[in-house]
Amino acid sequence: MSTSLSHFHGIVAESFRKEGREEGREEGVARERALSVLRVLDHRGVAVDEAVRERIGSCRDLRALDVWVDRAFTVKTTDELFA
């Protein structure tokens, strides 16, 4: 009986590890996209205050970040970025 339970625990543990790796990957992608938004805005000379920097940096929604990356190339203000 303990062998079956041990095997079950191993399967569950591996499932959690896999899920954690996937979440970590997504978080890394989100972090890179957020940095891209900030880099483009900085390169273009668009002023970014601390609240906006925090909003962009803490976002984990990849779709929103994709939109912001695209907009970062053309906006004149950060208000336009979020419009």
Side-chain angles (χ1 to χ4, degrees):
M1 187 81 150
S2 67
T3 305
S4 297
L5 207 53
S6 174
H7 178 69
F8 175 74
H9 285 212
I11 291 170
V12 170
E14 180 57 32
S15 174
F16 283 130
R17 279 192 292 273
K18 183 179 178 183
E19 186 177 308
R21 284 190 299 269
E22 289 171 6
E23 288 175 4
R25 241 178 265 129
E26 284 183 19
E27 188 173 313
V29 169
R31 190 173 18 254
E32 288 301 317
R33 287 188 189 158
L35 288 173
S36 294
V37 173
L38 293 170
R39 287 183 67 196
V40 171
L41 293 172
D42 182 58
H43 180 75
R44 295 189 55 246
V46 176
V48 179
D49 65 32
E50 194 56 39
V52 170
R53 187 172 301 281
E54 175 63 28
R55 179 175 177 184
I56 294 168
S58 65
C59 182
R60 295 297 173 252
D61 180 341
L62 297 179
R63 288 183 184 152
L65 288 163
D66 281 343
V67 169
W68 295 348
V69 168
D70 292 343
R71 289 181 183 171
F73 287 100
T74 59
V75 298
K76 292 182 175 75
T77 68
T78 54
D79 287 339
E80 293 175 36
L81 184 72
F82 303 122

